[in-house]
Amino acid sequence: MITVFSADHALHQSPGELLYSEFVPAFEKPERAELILARVREVGLGEVRGPESFPLEALTKIHAPGLVSLLMTAHEEWSAMGRTGAAYPYTWAARGMRADRVPKNLDGRLGFYSFDCGTPITATSWQAIKASADVALTAAGLVSGGAKSVFALCRPPGHHAGADHFGGYCFLNNAALAAQKLLDDGAARVAILDVDYHHGNGTQAIFYRRNDVLVVNIHADPDQEYPYMLGFADEPGQGAGEGFNVNLPLPWGTEWPAWRAALAAGIQRVTAFAPDAVVVSLGVDTFKNDPISHFLLEHEHFTLMGGMIAELMKPAVFVMEGGYAVAEIGVNAVNVLTGFNDS
Ligand code: SS9
Ligand code: ZN
């Protein structure tokens, strides 16, 4: 399996995030991608190559131009105001406030285009964000060209980013960009299977009214877990998209048997959809030692997960998402890929 990777991921480095009343080191850090890459090499997964550079038009097929330009210029504007450090949003448009008008002020715009305060923009974040999107688009292009499976080693991750909002360590939705690229290259239907511990609210929102992309999410129950405000079982899709969104929330403490049953149900739904390709939003924060998560999967379950996904017999783009047990992230992520390959 080819891995697409860009060293530019390291240009995004969050200075930290608020965790209950403390400012703590970021969980989403550059070591994550480096350790996954090291494991890819260690097991001899296959060739590692850099991404092609795609035009901004590839991004605005999914994202609002206003979000893309904010990500590009926010830090420059921040510095021009005499501020140091990274650009963090702090105020948001709650019900009753104007959602039809983009604020002129930078702080207003940061809030308008985001949904949490844990996703800062540094002077060089844009280069990493763009590289991550390019990695996903390149991987999708390889699958369109006939590759059976490709690993997009994306960082920063993407599944929390919606058409017009960043958050949850995500800026652009790499999996959505990959799915759109597969469609633009000729696929009639694409399924996105999101196995990250957190609900992929951005991916769901992007495709909620569409029937050409089936979105299946297996994640911690939003009554207990971030992002709290989306990802419930009663979200089937809307309009033409009705029936094309599937949420399979599970409680804190979920172990492999129950997780596996949810995956089997998700896979059944994907099979019925008969997609031309599958995009897997590959988060490994379901691991038992993950510092911010509450599922209990073990190393070998990731291998089994890959094997189950292979049973779909569909071309697959694996897009890296979350996973914060950094020392073990390489083994867990690559176990999914070798499990897929070996079955
Ligand atoms: C940690 C807060 C978590 C965001 C989590 C995003 C995960 C992305 N106490 N906040 S996969
Ligand atoms: Zn996650």
Side-chain angles (χ1 to χ4, degrees), residues 21-44:
S21 22
E22 271 181 289
F23 193 71
V24 302
F27 294 97
E28 200 295 293
K29 49 189 172 187
E31 291 78 357
R32 298 178 59 251
E34 294 302 328
L35 289 172
I36 297 166
L37 180 67
R39 183 65 179 170
V40 161
R41 294 214 157 104
E42 190 180 337
V43 305

Side-chain angles (χ1 to χ4, degrees), residues 165-178:
H165 47 275
F166 67 95
Y169 316 150
C170 302
F171 300 91
L172 295 174
N173 195 309
N174 305 311
L177 291 166

Side-chain angles (χ1 to χ4, degrees), residues 17 19 159-160 168-169 196 198 226 285 292 322 324:
E17 61 186 87
L19 182 61
H159 73 149
H160 294 298
Y169 316 150
D196 188 279
H198 303 91
Y226 183 95
D285 38 10
I292 63 170
Y324 307 98

